Amino acid sequence: MGAKGLSDSLPAVDRQCAVYYTDFLVAYKKVLPRQRHKSVGKIRAKLRISKDARTP
């Protein structure tokens, strides 16, 4: 699928409003909007997921 395929597969509202958290793959920078793209490392992403899982 690749980064472009991922971007194209998202619903229109997500492409317009969502904040994208990805790894540091350069391809993401080319296809995701710079204002809403955040590159994070795997450890930070895992911490974020576990924190979100605890939030009701």
Side-chain angles (χ1 to χ4, degrees), residues 7 10-20 32-33 35-36:
S7 177
L10 297 171
V13 68
D14 288 344
R15 287 194 306 265
Q16 295 171 2
C17 302
V19 175
Y20 305 96
L32 296 174
Q35 305 89 331
R36 296 188 317 272

Side-chain angles (χ1 to χ4, degrees), residues 2-49:
K4 178 74 170 132
L6 172 64
S7 177
D8 291 345
S9 71
L10 297 171
V13 68
D14 288 344
R15 287 194 306 265
Q16 295 171 2
C17 302
V19 175
Y20 305 96
Y21 294 90
T22 68
D23 58 15
F24 293 94
L25 187 65
V26 175
Y28 291 124
K29 290 183 178 183
K30 293 180 180 179
V31 298
L32 296 174
R34 187 180 64 173
Q35 305 89 331
R36 296 188 317 272
H37 177 234
K38 309 291 183 198
S39 296
V40 296
K42 288 183 181 182
I43 293 173
R44 186 170 172 195
K46 286 180 184 178
L47 290 172
R48 179 68 185 183
I49 290 168

